[in-house]
Amino acid sequence: LVGDEGDELVAASETGYVYVLGADGEVLAQRDFGDAINDIALIPRDGGTPLLGVACDDGRVYTVDAAMTVLGAFDAGGRPLLVQALGSRLLAATAEVVHVIAP
């Protein structure tokens, strides 16, 4: 996602942070979303670096790039509990509804 080589781990926290960690544990990128993160998903892109989908307790689903720059925010109409890549699209679910987002 961030580095040119090696494995990376993407982790999220209830304190609102998303981290990209290198294989040695080094923080390669991070972002504070300000509210608990409920789920994250890697969104593949043809010929490009994948994006991340981030479901946040503020009711939004964010798409971010490898530098953790927010590229878009979708109001889920409730607390998003799940995000899942569906090809190059993102599935986002609250307790009441499922959305398909094209980041």
Side-chain angles (χ1 to χ4, degrees):
L1 183 66
V2 175
D4 293 333
E5 297 179 19
D7 294 330
E8 296 170 339
L9 172 71
V10 179
S13 72
E14 289 184 352
T15 59
Y17 282 88
V18 174
Y19 301 94
V20 179
L21 305 172
D24 62 356
E26 176 187 3
V27 176
L28 303 174
Q30 70 179 25
R31 181 170 189 93
D32 180 4
F33 285 87
D35 215 332
I37 306 300
N38 298 322
D39 199 13
I40 53 177
L42 192 64
I43 308 165
R45 295 194 307 168
D46 289 336
T49 303
L51 301 176
L52 283 177
V54 180
C56 193
D57 246 10
D58 68 2
R60 292 186 175 88
V61 176
Y62 297 92
T63 54
V64 298
D65 63 13
M68 292 292 144
T69 302
V70 174
L71 303 175
F74 175 78
D75 184 351
R79 183 175 174 238
L81 302 172
L82 171 90
V83 288
Q84 177 67 46
L86 185 64
S88 62
R89 296 181 183 203
L90 188 64
L91 201 99
T94 68
E96 292 82 28
V97 67
V98 174
H99 303 278
V100 178
I101 306 165

